[in-house]
Amino acid sequence: MSTDPRQPGGPAERELLAALAVQLAWGADEALEEAPQNRFGMWAEAAAPPAPSPPAAARHASLSFVAPSLRTPPVAAAVAQAERLAASADTLEALREVFAAFDGCALRETATNFVFADGVPGAPVMLIGEGPGAEEDREGLPFVGPSGRLLDRMLASIGLSRRDGTVYITNVLPWRPPGNRSPTDSEIALCLPFLRRHIALAKPKLLLLAGGVPARALLGAREGITRLRGRWRMVEIASLAEPLPTLATLHPAYLLRNPGAKREAWSDLVLLRRRLDALLPGVGQN
Ligand code: URA
């Protein structure tokens, strides 16, 4: 037997395999870059004295909800570019094209597919989730995995469906964050101008926000979803004549992990159904 610890099957290889197994168990199932990084070198750099910080950029509408450190270039410049591109789109098809081609968000590099929307544009309810998971990334459609199947059952329970023209579905992020990690504030800020334009072009009557990411992004709040859910709020969208009644609710993935919380989700759905009935009596219940 070899005594060299670096030989195949030696202690070094076993240690590396164990480290890989931990990463997999924690959800890091995608390579971020072609070439490996020398993390030890990075630590050495991090220990060096900090470089002077760049000058603060002008305050920016889409960045007003993120931490001050993100309101500096290059994030602010990329958000400004996202706003210009989103505003240039006059149709949903044009928006899909400019968004898919937008290279200011690094998630684009690691995702398999760009996931734009599903259902019928113009539907009275627009549901906004967080971002694609593994199945959505593979298929290029939102909410087609386990949480999507629960979502479809939840909507059906109040007579709505993405198939019958009553619900249109999208996400804050069109690209899957690697290993399903939570999106960063800057990734959300970069996608928000496209989401706001998406809403303006789809012209729903009501917005339903599934989970904390869309709730914080569109309500400009920093509280958790359990505080934000269950109450109607009005959201202003540029080019829409009236602010949109918007309801935040628990994400179906959370409900799969916490079935006891379905009671709260059900009471949110009842609120949605009542408001819809007041606007369009009986819609979707035929
Ligand atoms: N979770 C989301 O928020 N969106 C999807 O499309 C799938 C899972």
Side-chain angles (χ1 to χ4, degrees):
M1 195 174 137
S2 165
T3 51
D4 184 343
R6 290 163 306 171
Q7 284 303 301
E13 186 184 282
R14 283 200 301 277
E15 239 175 65
L16 280 174
L17 286 174
L20 269 179
V22 168
Q23 291 190 39
L24 268 178
W26 289 2
D29 57 356
E30 311 259 345
L32 284 182
E33 293 174 42
E34 294 287 318
Q37 295 280 344
N38 179 356
R39 302 286 169 198
F40 296 103
M42 286 178 178
W43 290 338
E45 272 170 35
S53 46
R59 205 180 145 84
H60 203 283
S62 290
L63 286 172
S64 58
F65 84 102
V66 303
S69 60
L70 296 177
R71 293 182 208 137
T72 55
V75 177
V79 170
Q81 190 204 2
E83 285 187 342
R84 278 194 300 277
L85 287 171
S88 74
D90 286 333
T91 62
L92 286 170
E93 210 28 66
L95 184 70
R96 176 197 281 264
E97 264 175 43
V98 291
F99 198 1
F102 174 58
D103 62 4
C105 180
L107 292 176
R108 184 173 189 263
E109 310 302 324
T110 50
T112 306
N113 274 303
F114 171 77
V115 178
F116 187 64
D118 196 17
V120 183
V125 176
M126 183 165 179
L127 180 134
I128 300 167
E130 301 187 344
E135 283 186 49
E136 290 78 16
D137 184 44
R138 262 194 304 277
E139 291 194 32
L141 284 171
F143 282 106
V144 289
S147 58
R149 289 188 279 281
L150 174 58
L151 176 68
D152 285 340
R153 291 199 299 277
M154 290 163 61
L155 293 172
S157 70
I158 52 162
L160 303 180
S161 159
R162 65 175 104 184
R163 300 279 155 255
D164 70 0
T166 51
V167 182
Y168 180 60
I169 299 181
T170 190
N171 282 310
V172 175
L173 306 170
W175 298 288
R176 179 193 183 213
N180 288 350
R181 66 158 168 75
S182 298
T184 63
D185 280 354
S186 54
E187 287 160 355
I188 295 169
L190 288 162
C191 295
L192 195 52
F194 296 101
L195 176 64
R196 289 185 154 276
R197 189 72 187 139
H198 201 159
I199 298 167
L201 293 168
K203 297 189 179 62
K205 301 265 184 260
L206 303 174
L207 287 181
L208 182 63
L209 312 178
V213 170
R216 284 189 291 275
L218 280 170
L219 302 176
R222 296 208 67 88
E223 295 114 289
I225 186 62
T226 47
R227 283 184 172 273
L228 294 173
R229 59 153 285 275
R231 205 146 43 93
W232 286 104
R233 294 150 204 264
M234 303 305 278
V235 170
E236 305 249 5
I237 298 289
S239 94
L240 290 187
E242 304 278 333
L244 268 178
T246 300
L247 184 67
T249 190
L250 301 169
H251 193 284
Y254 175 83
L255 298 176
L256 287 172
R257 294 191 303 271
N258 302 277
K262 284 184 183 165
R263 211 172 134 213
E264 278 89 53
W266 171 247
S267 83
D268 298 341
L269 290 178
V270 171
L271 284 180
L272 178 74
R273 182 69 239 184
R274 281 202 199 123
R275 187 114 187 191
L276 191 58
D277 274 337
L279 290 168
L280 303 165
V283 71
Q285 287 193 323
N286 304 320

